[in-house]
Amino acid sequence: MLKDAHKRQILKYAALRFASRAALVASLAALGAVIVFILLRGIGYVNMQLLFGDYGPEPSIRPALFGTLYLILIALAIAAPVGVGSAVFLTEYTNTKSRLSRVVRVAAETLAGIPSIVYGLFGYLVFVVALGFKYSLIGGGITLAIMILPVIVRSTEESLLAVPLALREGSFALGSSKVRTIFAVVLPCAAGGIVTSLILAVGRIVSESAVLILTVGMVVNKMPSSLASPGTSLALDVYYFSSHGYPRQAAATGVVLLMLVIGINILATALGRLLGKGELANG
Amino acid sequence: MDEKPVIAVRGCNLYYGDFRALKDVNIDIAAHEVTAFIGPSGCGKTTLIKTFNRMNDLVEGCRITGEVSIFGNDIYAKGTDVTLLRKDVGMVFQKPNPFPMSIYDNIAFAPRTFGIKRKSELDGIIEHSLRQAGLWGEAKDRLRQNAMGLSGGQQQRLCIARALAAQPKILLMDEPTSALDPISTGKIEELAAELKAEYTIVIVTHNMQQATRISDKTAFFLLGEIVEYGKTEDIFSSPADKRTENYITGRFG
Amino acid sequence: MLTAYRFIRARDRIMRVIFLSCAVFSVAALGCICVFLFAGGVPFMLKTGLGNFFGTVWNIHTGSYGIMAMVVASLYVTALSTLLGVTLGLFTAIALFKFCPEAAVGPVRQLVNLLAGIPSVIYGLFGLIVIVPFLRERVSHSGIGYGILAASLVLAVMVLPVIVSVSLDALNAVPKSYHEGALALGATEEQSVFRVVLPAAKSGVFAAVVLSVGRAVGETMAVIMVIGGSPVMPRSLFQSVRTLTSNIAMGAMELTGDPAAALVSSGVVLFFFTLLLNISFSLLKGGAPRAQRRAQKADT
């Protein structure tokens, strides 16, 4: 009797162990398949016309490359200083228990949880309708800036908190003001982490599409003439091509986008390691 | 001695929240002497030297009453410029805390804070400070290298040089050798003895031998009070208070 | 000299205000989002009447803006993808925790982190060129590949990286002594992992579930590419339908008047739903460290 129960137990746990290993294999297969299939399907169609040609009968992603670049520049120009400044305020001027810092944290967390399509609606209501910009890169860029802000604040805060208190004390003891301590000691010491977080934010910008569909207009065939003109991005092009009968170009643009995002991630990790090393070794 | 004290503390009480860390402290510290603060952990000796450059301001919930004057000015009076105070009262910490930048930039930090930008002037200050700290020979060929590459003892002497570069009049040392090996400790002690010709030095130490070796005066702290204060020889040879005697003979602490 | 210090003090004060305004920016942005969404959506809801707004008919031409079909589709997709994703992800995390070669853990983790950053249109494209044809040819009886199952499969793959890494962190955060204690009592490796460590990591696993629910509800582009897009009540796993998010994106190009207001209103619904998720997530997160701290205290 006892033996039977014991046997059943052993079987049950062997099954669970097997299930977990099978799940590992299945997950890796599924995730690997995403990359492999996109590459297989698209890499043969990545060519000069697609990348840099004029948009004619044959589509090109040149407008999207420029659009993506502009969006990155606009979003970072706003989110980087505001995000870093906000993190500085939270770590250097308030303690975590103060009411203001709690309010800011709750707001940032809420912002981080809002789906991107809702950001898109907001951007649409503000920039396209209320401010009358119509569809524009600038409107999309500002909306993206708000979306990536919480990510930058959170990771910058972590980098700032990792700077040892002893360095701040050292600076104050030499007669430095708060501002000098922040700019000459704290921020340089946290630079590695901050730069990494900004690069990851660029990854988010490049990946985003739902926000842009409502704000920049998905005009895939015209080079943006200014920041106020409508435009497109790589991710939008993938969607546009796949839903407008250009499956090859969709896959090829997918390959470009995939490579870009993987490249950005690898860069961020490598830079984080490089800049993080040695600097605070003694901290 | 009829010379005016450099630091004069009168009826000083310091609270961290509800905890009273200093109790009615009175002390006069004379110029060009090394004054040692000794006592068991948590007795208030570090707290007291941190009131001399108002580093306690950084501690939340810290409140101070009484008077602390330096060169005759009450440093807790309204309108005191804390940055200027800290320029005059340099500090060296328990653990060496060089900034993760070059040796040169570390020492140039305070002069730059106070508006010295010219390279020739900075070069002069850096050489002078490093020589004062006995680090010039070891560091002169690697001024542009990261200070984190120095050994612990060298880092601490760098921190001393960095403090001296601000041209202070008083140098506070908070257990400066507690993280160092005996050889580095010896070098720092020699340094303290040399530097007192130019500066007034207050040193907090755990190590009573260190106090006898380098200090002219010693104050013994217990539970936030100064139990006894006087010439170092007197304190160690014929302590007036039973508690001091117990401590220096190793019966507690 | 004195003026220099006055300048420093003034600069300190100005910079403080600048940093403060940066910090307040997030709060202001959130406020703006609420104001614009509510101003754009709530009057429309009231005008249509909540009964009609949550009705089942969406037809722009007849002026019916009932979002129920989309709400139901969203719920189906979210539930199914979370079920699939969490089951697979959790077991994967368990395998990585104890039942796989030590040397594989690092590279697998890196791969998982990398995949967490891949754009959702890529997942959508994968669904379009792999999953939908596969379903159409091999699984579906009706010959339709689009629909709830396709979207759920795409989303399940998409949320996998998040679930794996959050659950693995949760498992790793359980004190080693729990595992050792169970082994010392004669439990097998498997019994210890499933009966002791996994229950101890419960709150972290719940956090992973809430995160993946959030991503599944909010995801637009990966879904829109594989769901078909007809605004009808779902009756089958293989049928062209719309979720709340894909409804907004599909209407995006023809935004004027009432349809626009209707979309903004569904945005409001979405916003409230994610707010709810957020709150439950922070409650869970608040609970997790406390449980861990208790565990550590018990450990010493």
Side-chain angles (χ1 to χ4, degrees), chain A residues 95 166-167 169-177 180-181 184-185 189 278-283, chain B residues 50 55 58 60 83 86 91 93 95 97-101 109-110 112-114 148 155 162-163:
Chain A
N95 70 359
L167 294 185
E169 276 189 334
S171 172
F172 284 126
L174 291 170
S176 303
S177 63
R180 176 149 165 81
T181 302
V185 177
C189 288
E279 263 191 352
L280 302 175
N282 215 37
Chain B
K50 283 190 169 181
M55 285 301 278
L58 305 178
E60 212 157 319
T83 57
R86 289 182 187 150
M91 183 161 192
F93 293 83
K95 252 180 86 182
N97 59 350
F99 302 130
M101 38 177 111
F109 193 87
R112 282 177 179 150
T113 304
F114 293 97
M148 304 312 265
Q155 286 187 4
R162 188 176 69 180

Side-chain angles (χ1 to χ4, degrees), chain A residues 84-131:
Chain A
V84 172
S86 161
V88 166
F89 185 79
L90 289 177
T91 54
E92 309 297 316
Y93 287 89
T94 65
N95 70 359
T96 42
K97 275 166 270 163
S98 85
R99 178 170 302 173
L100 182 63
S101 90
R102 269 204 312 242
V103 169
V104 172
R105 275 200 184 85
V106 169
E109 257 163 49
T110 312
L111 281 178
I114 295 177
S116 49
I117 192 80
V118 175
Y119 278 105
L121 280 173
F122 167 70
Y124 169 79
L125 289 171
V126 173
F127 300 106
V128 182
V129 181
L131 294 176

